[in-house]
Amino acid sequence: MPIVVQKYGGSSVADIGKLRQVADQVARTRAAGDDVVVVVSAMGKTTDNLLGLARQAALPPDATVESGSAAPEPAKRELDMLLSTGERVSMSLLSIAMHARGLDAVSFTGSQSGIITNDRHFDARIIEVRPHRIEDELARGRIVIVAGYQGMSYKREITTLGRGGSDTTAVALAAALGAERCEIYSDVDGVYSADPRVIADARHLPELDYETMQEMAECGAKVLNAQAVEWARRHKVAIIARKTGDVAGRPGVRETVVSEVASADASRRAVVVQKSVAWLTAEARALSRLLAAAERLSLPLGDLTVGPRELMAWTPLINVPNWGEVRTELSGASLAGLSIREGHGLLSLVGVEVGTRSDVVRAALACLDAPPELVFSHPLRLSCVLPDANLDAAARAWHERLGPGAAAAASRLTA
Ligand code: ADP
Ligand code: ASP
Ligand code: MG
Protein backbone atom coordinates (compact mmCIF):
# COMPACT_ATOMS: atom_id res chain seq x y z
CA MET A 1 0.00 0.00 0.00
CA PRO A 2 1.27 3.54 -0.65
CA ILE A 3 2.54 5.28 2.46
CA VAL A 4 1.29 8.77 3.25
CA VAL A 5 2.97 10.93 5.90
CA GLN A 6 0.70 13.59 7.39
CA LYS A 7 1.94 16.26 9.79
CA TYR A 8 -0.41 18.27 12.00
CA GLY A 9 0.93 21.43 13.62
CA GLY A 10 0.27 22.89 17.05
CA SER A 11 -2.85 24.86 16.11
CA SER A 12 -4.39 21.71 14.56
CA VAL A 13 -4.17 19.85 17.88
CA ALA A 14 -4.56 22.85 20.18
CA ASP A 15 -7.34 21.23 22.24
CA ILE A 16 -9.08 17.87 22.50
CA GLY A 17 -11.88 18.92 20.13
CA LYS A 18 -9.35 19.78 17.41
CA LEU A 19 -7.31 16.67 18.10
CA ARG A 20 -10.45 14.53 17.65
CA GLN A 21 -11.08 16.23 14.28
CA VAL A 22 -7.52 15.31 13.28
CA ALA A 23 -8.28 11.72 14.33
CA ASP A 24 -11.33 11.76 11.99
CA GLN A 25 -9.19 13.07 9.14
CA VAL A 26 -6.54 10.38 9.70
CA ALA A 27 -9.29 7.75 9.80
CA ARG A 28 -10.59 8.97 6.40
CA THR A 29 -7.09 8.73 4.89
CA ARG A 30 -6.76 5.21 6.24
CA ALA A 31 -10.19 4.27 4.87
CA ALA A 32 -9.05 5.44 1.41
CA GLY A 33 -6.55 2.58 1.52
CA ASP A 34 -3.26 4.24 2.42
CA ASP A 35 -0.74 3.27 5.06
CA VAL A 36 -0.56 6.32 7.32
CA VAL A 37 2.23 7.77 9.43
CA VAL A 38 1.15 10.84 11.37
CA VAL A 39 3.60 13.36 12.83
CA VAL A 40 2.24 15.68 15.49
CA SER A 41 3.43 18.91 17.10
CA ALA A 42 2.81 19.89 20.70
CA MET A 43 -0.69 21.17 21.51
CA GLY A 44 -1.16 24.91 20.84
CA LYS A 45 1.39 27.04 22.68
CA THR A 46 2.74 24.16 24.77
CA THR A 47 6.37 24.59 23.66
CA ASP A 48 6.34 28.32 24.52
CA ASN A 49 4.68 27.60 27.86
CA LEU A 50 7.26 24.95 28.75
CA LEU A 51 10.04 27.39 27.86
CA GLY A 52 8.43 29.94 30.16
CA LEU A 53 8.37 27.41 33.02
CA ALA A 54 12.05 26.58 32.42
CA ARG A 55 12.97 30.27 32.67
CA GLN A 56 11.08 30.54 35.96
CA ALA A 57 12.79 27.42 37.33
CA ALA A 58 16.15 28.96 36.39
CA LEU A 59 15.64 32.00 38.65
CA PRO A 60 18.12 32.29 41.54
CA PRO A 61 16.76 30.94 44.85
CA ASP A 62 16.28 34.45 46.30
CA ALA A 63 14.46 35.91 43.25
CA THR A 64 10.70 35.90 42.85
CA VAL A 65 8.97 35.10 39.57
CA GLU A 66 7.29 38.54 39.69
CA SER A 67 10.60 40.42 40.07
CA GLY A 68 11.63 38.97 36.67
CA SER A 69 15.31 39.42 37.55
CA ALA A 70 17.87 38.34 34.95
CA ALA A 71 18.50 34.64 35.53
CA PRO A 72 21.12 32.27 34.24
CA GLU A 73 19.63 30.60 31.20
CA PRO A 74 18.46 26.98 31.47
CA ALA A 75 20.85 24.35 30.12
CA LYS A 76 19.93 23.43 26.55
CA ARG A 77 20.15 19.70 27.30
CA GLU A 78 17.48 20.06 29.99
CA LEU A 79 15.36 22.22 27.67
CA ASP A 80 15.38 19.39 25.14
CA MET A 81 14.27 16.90 27.81
CA LEU A 82 11.47 19.27 28.73
CA LEU A 83 10.30 20.47 25.31
CA SER A 84 10.23 16.98 23.81
CA THR A 85 7.46 16.10 26.27
CA GLY A 86 5.05 18.45 24.46
CA GLU A 87 4.94 16.27 21.36
CA ARG A 88 4.70 13.09 23.50
CA VAL A 89 1.43 14.37 24.95
CA SER A 90 -0.16 14.91 21.54
CA MET A 91 1.15 11.66 20.01
CA SER A 92 -0.33 9.52 22.78
CA LEU A 93 -3.64 11.42 22.88
CA LEU A 94 -4.01 11.03 19.11
CA SER A 95 -3.24 7.34 19.34
CA ILE A 96 -5.91 6.96 22.03
CA ALA A 97 -8.38 8.86 19.80
CA MET A 98 -7.57 6.46 16.93
CA HIS A 99 -8.32 3.49 19.20
CA ALA A 100 -11.68 5.10 20.02
CA ARG A 101 -12.43 4.98 16.29
CA GLY A 102 -11.76 1.25 16.18
CA LEU A 103 -8.39 1.70 14.48
CA ASP A 104 -5.15 0.07 15.49
CA ALA A 105 -2.56 2.79 16.19
CA VAL A 106 0.70 3.02 18.06
CA SER A 107 2.68 6.10 19.05
CA PHE A 108 6.47 6.51 19.02
CA THR A 109 8.85 9.17 20.23
CA GLY A 110 11.52 10.51 17.87
CA SER A 111 14.15 8.14 19.24
CA GLN A 112 11.82 5.13 18.92
CA SER A 113 11.22 6.22 15.33
CA GLY A 114 14.97 5.99 14.63
CA ILE A 115 15.59 9.71 14.18
CA ILE A 116 19.30 10.12 14.83
CA THR A 117 20.70 13.64 15.14
CA ASN A 118 23.90 15.48 15.90
CA ASP A 119 24.31 16.70 19.47
CA ARG A 120 23.49 20.38 18.97
CA HIS A 121 20.84 20.71 21.66
CA PHE A 122 17.77 22.88 20.90
CA ASP A 123 18.63 23.12 17.19
CA ALA A 124 19.86 19.64 16.24
CA ARG A 125 20.19 18.37 12.67
CA ILE A 126 18.96 14.94 11.58
CA ILE A 127 21.91 12.81 10.47
CA GLU A 128 20.06 9.65 9.58
CA VAL A 129 16.68 7.96 9.95
CA ARG A 130 16.31 4.27 10.76
CA PRO A 131 12.55 3.77 10.80
CA HIS A 132 12.58 -0.03 11.36
CA ARG A 133 9.98 -0.02 14.11
CA ILE A 134 7.66 2.15 12.04
CA GLU A 135 8.02 -0.20 9.07
CA ASP A 136 7.27 -3.21 11.28
CA GLU A 137 4.14 -1.59 12.68
CA LEU A 138 2.91 -0.52 9.24
CA ALA A 139 3.41 -4.11 8.08
CA ARG A 140 1.17 -5.18 10.98
CA GLY A 141 -1.51 -2.87 9.60
CA ARG A 142 -1.17 -0.18 12.28
CA ILE A 143 -1.35 3.56 11.96
CA VAL A 144 1.88 5.00 13.38
CA ILE A 145 1.82 8.31 15.25
CA VAL A 146 5.18 10.01 15.74
CA ALA A 147 6.16 12.83 18.08
CA GLY A 148 7.59 15.54 15.84
CA TYR A 149 10.49 17.92 16.55
CA GLN A 150 12.74 15.44 18.34
CA GLY A 151 15.36 12.80 17.93
CA MET A 152 18.24 11.13 19.70
CA SER A 153 21.91 12.00 19.28
CA TYR A 154 24.67 9.47 18.74
CA LYS A 155 25.44 10.00 22.43
CA ARG A 156 21.90 8.70 23.14
CA GLU A 157 20.75 12.11 24.36
CA ILE A 158 17.29 13.47 23.54
CA THR A 159 17.51 16.41 21.14
CA THR A 160 15.04 18.81 19.53
CA LEU A 161 15.21 20.02 15.94
CA GLY A 162 14.80 23.80 16.27
CA ARG A 163 11.48 25.66 16.46
CA GLY A 164 9.00 24.45 13.86
CA GLY A 165 10.99 21.20 13.58
CA SER A 166 8.02 18.82 13.33
CA ASP A 167 7.90 19.61 9.60
CA THR A 168 11.45 18.24 9.38
CA THR A 169 10.45 15.03 11.18
CA ALA A 170 7.64 14.53 8.64
CA VAL A 171 9.77 15.10 5.55
CA ALA A 172 12.70 13.02 6.87
CA LEU A 173 10.36 10.12 7.64
CA ALA A 174 8.64 10.45 4.24
CA ALA A 175 12.06 10.17 2.57
CA ALA A 176 13.22 7.24 4.70
CA LEU A 177 9.96 5.31 4.21
CA GLY A 178 9.74 6.03 0.48
CA ALA A 179 6.33 7.63 1.11
CA GLU A 180 4.15 8.58 -1.82
CA ARG A 181 3.56 12.04 -0.40
CA CYS A 182 4.17 14.26 2.63
CA GLU A 183 1.18 16.37 3.62
CA ILE A 184 1.76 19.26 6.05
CA TYR A 185 -1.45 20.50 7.69
CA SER A 186 -1.68 23.84 9.48
CA ASP A 187 -4.07 26.76 9.91
CA VAL A 188 -3.43 28.10 6.36
CA ASP A 189 -4.37 26.49 3.05
CA GLY A 190 -0.85 26.61 1.65
CA VAL A 191 1.94 29.06 1.00
CA TYR A 192 1.19 32.68 0.12
CA SER A 193 3.24 35.51 -1.37
CA ALA A 194 3.45 36.95 2.18
CA ASP A 195 2.14 36.03 5.61
CA PRO A 196 -1.64 36.30 5.00
CA ARG A 197 -2.11 37.36 8.64
CA VAL A 198 -0.03 40.47 8.03
CA ILE A 199 -0.77 41.22 4.37
CA ALA A 200 -4.44 40.68 3.62
CA ASP A 201 -4.10 40.58 -0.16
CA ALA A 202 -1.22 38.08 -0.17
CA ARG A 203 -1.59 35.72 -3.12
CA HIS A 204 -1.99 31.99 -2.81
CA LEU A 205 0.86 30.14 -4.54
CA PRO A 206 -0.39 26.75 -5.80
CA GLU A 207 3.04 25.54 -6.95
CA LEU A 208 6.52 26.33 -5.71
CA ASP A 209 9.96 25.00 -6.55
CA TYR A 210 12.18 23.82 -3.69
CA GLU A 211 14.72 26.62 -4.14
CA THR A 212 12.20 29.46 -3.82
CA MET A 213 10.48 27.79 -0.85
CA GLN A 214 13.78 27.12 0.87
CA GLU A 215 14.88 30.71 0.43
CA MET A 216 11.53 31.87 1.88
CA ALA A 217 11.81 29.50 4.84
CA GLU A 218 15.46 30.41 5.54
CA CYS A 219 14.59 34.07 5.82
CA GLY A 220 11.63 33.55 8.10
CA ALA A 221 8.42 32.32 6.39
CA LYS A 222 7.44 29.94 9.15
CA VAL A 223 4.70 28.17 7.16
CA LEU A 224 7.31 25.51 6.35
CA ASN A 225 10.50 24.86 8.25
CA ALA A 226 13.74 25.53 6.32
CA GLN A 227 15.40 22.23 7.32
CA ALA A 228 12.30 20.38 6.15
CA VAL A 229 12.43 22.02 2.73
CA GLU A 230 16.16 21.36 2.47
CA TRP A 231 15.55 17.69 3.28
CA ALA A 232 12.70 17.52 0.75
CA ARG A 233 14.89 19.04 -1.97
CA ARG A 234 17.74 16.64 -1.32
CA HIS A 235 15.53 13.56 -1.25
CA LYS A 236 12.98 14.74 -3.85
CA VAL A 237 10.00 14.48 -1.52
CA ALA A 238 7.01 16.51 -2.71
CA ILE A 239 5.46 18.55 0.11
CA ILE A 240 1.76 19.33 -0.03
CA ALA A 241 0.78 22.14 2.34
CA ARG A 242 -2.91 22.23 3.26
CA LYS A 243 -5.30 23.52 5.86
CA THR A 244 -6.35 20.98 8.49
CA GLY A 245 -9.85 19.70 7.77
CA ASP A 246 -9.77 20.58 4.05
CA VAL A 247 -10.64 17.70 1.75
CA ALA A 248 -8.28 17.65 -1.24
CA GLY A 249 -9.99 18.00 -4.59
CA ARG A 250 -13.23 19.54 -3.24
CA PRO A 251 -14.29 22.71 -5.08
CA GLY A 252 -12.72 25.78 -3.51
CA VAL A 253 -10.11 23.80 -1.57
CA ARG A 254 -6.58 25.07 -2.18
CA GLU A 255 -3.15 23.66 -1.48
CA THR A 256 0.48 24.36 -2.32
CA VAL A 257 2.68 21.69 -3.84
CA VAL A 258 6.39 22.22 -3.27
CA SER A 259 8.37 20.12 -5.72
CA GLU A 260 10.81 20.26 -8.60
CA VAL A 261 8.65 22.51 -10.79
CA ALA A 262 10.39 24.90 -13.16
CA SER A 263 11.54 27.98 -11.27
CA ALA A 264 11.69 30.58 -14.04
CA ASP A 265 8.31 32.12 -13.29
CA ALA A 266 8.82 35.82 -12.65
CA SER A 267 5.50 36.22 -10.82
CA ARG A 268 6.37 33.59 -8.20
CA ARG A 269 7.55 36.17 -5.70
CA ALA A 270 7.15 36.50 -1.96
CA VAL A 271 7.83 39.04 0.77
CA VAL A 272 9.13 37.59 4.02
CA VAL A 273 9.72 39.16 7.42
CA GLN A 274 11.93 37.75 10.14
CA LYS A 275 11.71 39.49 13.48
CA SER A 276 14.05 39.01 16.41
CA VAL A 277 17.38 39.11 14.70
CA ALA A 278 20.67 40.38 16.13
CA TRP A 279 22.94 42.29 13.82
CA LEU A 280 26.69 41.98 14.33
CA THR A 281 29.41 44.24 12.97
CA ALA A 282 33.15 44.17 13.72
CA GLU A 283 36.47 45.03 12.18
CA ALA A 284 37.32 42.67 9.32
CA ARG A 285 40.35 41.33 11.20
CA ALA A 286 37.97 39.82 13.81
CA LEU A 287 36.75 37.27 11.24
CA SER A 288 38.54 34.14 12.39
CA ARG A 289 37.73 34.81 16.05
CA LEU A 290 34.08 35.46 15.17
CA LEU A 291 33.84 32.21 13.24
CA ALA A 292 35.45 30.27 16.09
CA ALA A 293 33.06 31.83 18.61
CA ALA A 294 30.03 31.18 16.40
CA GLU A 295 31.05 27.54 16.08
CA ARG A 296 31.61 27.13 19.81
CA LEU A 297 28.29 28.80 20.64
CA SER A 298 26.27 27.11 17.82
CA LEU A 299 25.37 30.54 16.51
CA PRO A 300 24.07 30.66 12.93
CA LEU A 301 25.47 33.58 10.89
CA GLY A 302 23.31 34.85 8.05
CA ASP A 303 24.68 36.78 5.05
CA LEU A 304 28.19 37.06 6.50
CA THR A 305 29.93 39.80 4.49
CA VAL A 306 33.57 40.82 4.88
CA GLY A 307 34.91 44.01 3.35
CA PRO A 308 38.39 45.57 3.51
CA ARG A 309 37.66 47.18 6.88
CA GLU A 310 34.42 45.83 8.29
CA LEU A 311 32.52 42.57 8.57
CA MET A 312 28.82 42.11 9.21
CA ALA A 313 26.29 39.35 9.65
CA TRP A 314 22.90 38.80 11.20
CA THR A 315 21.80 35.97 13.41
CA PRO A 316 18.21 34.79 13.97
CA LEU A 317 17.48 34.46 17.69
CA ILE A 318 14.57 32.00 17.51
CA ASN A 319 16.82 29.00 18.13
CA VAL A 320 19.18 30.72 20.57
CA PRO A 321 17.38 30.32 23.91
CA ASN A 322 20.54 31.37 25.80
CA TRP A 323 21.07 34.63 23.89
CA GLY A 324 22.01 36.50 27.09
CA GLU A 325 24.94 34.17 27.68
CA VAL A 326 25.90 34.05 24.01
CA ARG A 327 25.93 37.84 23.90
CA THR A 328 28.18 38.04 26.97
CA GLU A 329 30.56 35.43 25.50
CA LEU A 330 30.74 37.28 22.19
CA SER A 331 31.50 40.53 23.98
CA GLY A 332 34.29 38.81 25.91
CA ALA A 333 35.80 37.09 22.86
CA SER A 334 38.14 40.02 21.96
CA LEU A 335 36.44 40.67 18.61
CA ALA A 336 37.91 43.97 17.42
CA GLY A 337 35.27 46.69 17.09
CA LEU A 338 32.36 44.32 17.85
CA SER A 339 28.93 45.91 17.95
CA ILE A 340 25.76 43.88 18.58
CA ARG A 341 22.41 45.46 17.83
CA GLU A 342 19.05 44.00 18.69
CA GLY A 343 15.52 45.13 17.90
CA HIS A 344 16.11 44.61 14.20
CA GLY A 345 14.62 42.23 11.68
CA LEU A 346 15.10 41.10 8.14
CA LEU A 347 12.80 42.05 5.27
CA SER A 348 13.28 39.91 2.17
CA LEU A 349 11.91 39.78 -1.35
CA VAL A 350 12.25 36.26 -2.72
CA GLY A 351 11.97 35.33 -6.39
CA VAL A 352 13.82 34.74 -9.60
CA GLU A 353 16.57 37.36 -10.15
CA VAL A 354 15.16 39.81 -7.59
CA GLY A 355 18.59 40.46 -6.11
CA THR A 356 20.44 40.76 -9.41
CA ARG A 357 18.10 43.09 -11.30
CA SER A 358 19.09 46.66 -10.57
CA ASP A 359 15.58 47.93 -11.46
CA VAL A 360 14.09 45.70 -8.76
CA VAL A 361 16.72 46.68 -6.17
CA ARG A 362 16.26 50.38 -6.97
CA ALA A 363 12.47 50.15 -6.70
CA ALA A 364 12.75 48.18 -3.43
CA LEU A 365 15.01 50.79 -1.82
CA ALA A 366 12.92 53.66 -3.15
CA CYS A 367 9.77 52.54 -1.37
CA LEU A 368 11.37 52.36 2.09
CA ASP A 369 10.78 55.37 4.36
CA ALA A 370 14.41 55.45 5.50
CA PRO A 371 17.57 53.88 4.10
CA PRO A 372 18.04 50.36 5.54
CA GLU A 373 20.93 49.58 7.86
CA LEU A 374 22.16 46.78 5.58
CA VAL A 375 21.22 45.44 2.15
CA PHE A 376 22.09 41.98 0.83
CA SER A 377 21.40 40.71 -2.63
CA HIS A 378 21.49 37.16 -3.95
CA PRO A 379 20.09 35.73 -7.20
CA LEU A 380 16.90 34.57 -5.46
CA ARG A 381 16.66 37.13 -2.66
CA LEU A 382 16.99 40.79 -1.77
CA SER A 383 17.13 41.47 1.98
CA CYS A 384 17.33 44.56 4.19
CA VAL A 385 17.93 44.88 7.90
CA LEU A 386 15.41 47.31 9.41
CA PRO A 387 14.25 48.23 12.93
CA ASP A 388 11.52 45.81 14.06
CA ALA A 389 8.97 48.62 14.26
CA ASN A 390 9.28 49.40 10.51
CA LEU A 391 9.14 45.85 9.20
CA ASP A 392 5.42 45.25 8.64
CA ALA A 393 4.81 48.59 6.89
CA ALA A 394 7.86 48.05 4.68
CA ALA A 395 6.66 44.52 3.87
CA ARG A 396 3.29 45.91 2.76
CA ALA A 397 5.00 48.47 0.53
CA TRP A 398 7.26 45.84 -1.05
CA HIS A 399 4.36 43.46 -1.59
CA GLU A 400 2.27 46.13 -3.26
CA ARG A 401 5.02 47.47 -5.55
CA LEU A 402 7.17 44.38 -6.12
CA GLY A 403 5.02 41.37 -5.18
CA PRO A 404 3.59 38.81 -7.60
CA GLY A 405 0.83 41.13 -8.85
CA ALA A 406 3.27 43.91 -9.74
CA ALA A 407 5.73 41.42 -11.29
CA ALA A 408 3.01 39.89 -13.48
CA ALA A 409 1.85 43.35 -14.61
CA ALA A 410 5.44 44.36 -15.46
CA SER A 411 6.02 41.21 -17.51
CA ARG A 412 2.76 41.84 -19.43
CA LEU A 413 4.03 45.32 -20.32
CA THR A 414 7.36 44.03 -21.62
CA ALA A 415 5.79 41.09 -23.51
P1 ADP B 1 2.03 24.91 12.56
O1 ADP B 1 1.98 25.27 14.00
O2 ADP B 1 0.85 24.16 12.05
O3 ADP B 1 3.34 24.28 12.18
P2 ADP B 1 2.93 27.52 11.80
O4 ADP B 1 2.38 28.54 12.74
O5 ADP B 1 4.32 27.06 12.01
O6 ADP B 1 1.94 26.28 11.76
O7 ADP B 1 2.80 28.02 10.28
C1 ADP B 1 1.59 28.53 9.81
C2 ADP B 1 1.63 30.04 9.89
O8 ADP B 1 2.64 30.53 9.02
C3 ADP B 1 0.38 30.73 9.40
O9 ADP B 1 -0.56 30.88 10.44
C4 ADP B 1 0.87 32.06 8.84
O10 ADP B 1 0.56 33.15 9.69
C5 ADP B 1 2.38 31.90 8.83
N1 ADP B 1 3.00 32.30 7.56
C6 ADP B 1 4.13 33.08 7.47
N2 ADP B 1 4.45 33.29 6.20
C7 ADP B 1 3.53 32.65 5.43
C8 ADP B 1 3.35 32.49 4.03
N3 ADP B 1 4.19 33.05 3.15
N4 ADP B 1 2.31 31.76 3.59
C9 ADP B 1 1.45 31.18 4.47
N5 ADP B 1 1.56 31.30 5.82
C10 ADP B 1 2.60 32.02 6.30
N1 ASP C 1 6.39 22.34 19.05
C1 ASP C 1 7.57 22.82 18.38
C2 ASP C 1 7.53 24.34 18.26
O1 ASP C 1 6.63 24.98 18.76
C3 ASP C 1 7.79 22.17 17.05
C4 ASP C 1 6.74 22.43 15.99
O2 ASP C 1 5.69 22.98 16.28
O3 ASP C 1 6.99 22.05 14.82
O4 ASP C 1 8.43 24.92 17.71
MG1 MG D 1 5.24 25.15 11.92
Side-chain angles (χ1 to χ4, degrees):
M1 283 208 282
I3 300 175
V4 175
V5 176
Q6 297 190 326
K7 178 258 168 175
Y8 293 92
S11 58
S12 308
V13 292
D15 55 40
I16 285 291
K18 290 189 169 155
L19 184 129
R20 293 179 65 201
Q21 285 170 11
V22 166
D24 291 334
Q25 188 167 345
V26 174
R28 284 195 296 275
T29 312
R30 174 72 191 167
D34 293 319
D35 269 346
V36 194
V37 175
V38 184
V39 174
V40 278
S41 293
M43 297 171 80
K45 299 274 170 230
T46 300
T47 309
D48 288 332
N49 295 342
L50 290 171
L51 262 175
L53 286 179
R55 295 209 168 100
Q56 290 180 27
L59 287 171
D62 52 349
T64 60
V65 171
E66 294 72 37
S67 71
S69 80
E73 279 136 357
K76 289 204 258 183
R77 182 214 179 255
E78 300 308 329
L79 285 179
D80 278 355
M81 294 298 275
L82 177 70
L83 301 187
S84 60
T85 64
E87 273 68 12
R88 287 180 75 143
V89 170
S90 26
M91 76 174 191
S92 42
L93 289 176
L94 186 59
S95 189
I96 292 167
M98 298 320 302
H99 298 164
R101 282 152 185 75
L103 291 165
D104 203 359
V106 59
S107 65
F108 285 141
T109 63
S111 62
Q112 289 174 313
S113 306
I115 296 183
I116 315 293
T117 73
N118 64 9
D119 59 2
R120 195 161 95 177
H121 282 292
F122 205 86
D123 192 20
R125 293 288 173 272
I126 298 179
I127 309 288
E128 99 181 83
V129 182
R130 298 184 201 147
H132 310 306
R133 291 193 67 181
I134 297 181
E135 286 164 336
D136 290 349
E137 296 298 341
L138 290 175
R140 287 192 185 105
R142 290 186 164 150
I143 296 168
V144 181
I145 323 262
V146 177
Y149 175 57
Q150 56 188 271
M152 187 177 68
S153 74
Y154 281 112
K155 296 178 184 161
R156 304 184 75 81
E157 290 284 1
I158 298 299
T159 51
T160 61
L161 306 177
R163 299 303 305 270
S166 299
D167 296 347
T168 316
T169 307
V171 175
L173 281 178
L177 294 164
E180 189 187 64
R181 53 191 198 275
C182 181
E183 302 172 345
I184 306 266
Y185 289 94
S186 73
D187 56 357
V188 272
D189 56 359
V191 181
Y192 283 69
S193 58
D195 186 339
R197 292 185 194 289
V198 180
I199 297 185
D201 61 352
R203 270 205 196 181
H204 183 264
L205 304 171
E207 275 194 329
L208 269 175
D209 54 288
Y210 291 123
E211 290 74 17
T212 305
M213 185 65 238
Q214 193 176 346
E215 200 77 52
M216 286 173 67
E218 302 268 8
C219 58
K222 74 168 189 161
V223 61
L224 287 177
N225 179 278
Q227 307 305 320
V229 183
E230 155 72 8
W231 201 276
R233 186 179 59 78
R234 254 194 290 141
H235 297 269
K236 308 225 177 329
V237 174
I239 299 178
I240 306 168
R242 293 199 188 114
K243 185 170 179 170
T244 303
D246 275 359
V247 179
R250 286 240 177 110
V253 166
R254 298 194 291 193
E255 62 183 25
T256 297
V257 180
V258 182
S259 65
E260 258 184 327
V261 290
S263 57
D265 177 349
S267 65
R268 208 179 291 142
R269 279 198 193 164
V271 173
V272 181
V273 164
Q274 177 155 16
K275 292 189 176 156
S276 193
V277 158
W279 161 35
L280 314 177
T281 51
E283 288 178 27
R285 64 193 167 95
L287 179 63
S288 57
R289 282 198 177 160
L290 174 68
L291 292 176
E295 196 179 328
R296 191 176 68 252
L297 300 166
S298 300
L299 194 67
L301 293 179
D303 293 321
L304 174 66
T305 309
V306 187
R309 274 188 285 277
E310 209 186 21
L311 67 79
M312 52 192 90
W314 54 270
T315 185
L317 299 183
I318 176 122
N319 287 320
V320 189
N322 56 339
W323 172 240
E325 274 165 25
V326 168
R327 201 180 197 291
T328 310
E329 288 233 11
L330 281 176
S331 305
S334 312
L335 303 171
L338 177 71
S339 135
I340 303 176
R341 290 171 67 183
E342 290 156 47
H344 285 76
L346 199 70
L347 171 67
S348 303
L349 178 68
V350 177
V352 177
E353 293 183 339
V354 295
T356 48
R357 277 181 45 186
S358 46
D359 58 327
V360 176
V361 179
R362 198 163 43 83
L365 296 179
C367 64
L368 296 175
D369 286 342
E373 318 265 7
L374 293 176
V375 182
F376 301 98
S377 75
H378 303 268
L380 272 181
R381 169 164 69 94
L382 174 71
S383 296
C384 291
V385 173
L386 298 175
D388 274 339
N390 302 352
L391 282 167
D392 287 345
R396 283 191 196 95
W398 274 21
H399 192 267
E400 192 186 322
R401 314 246 179 99
L402 298 154
S411 60
R412 276 197 300 276
L413 278 181
T414 51

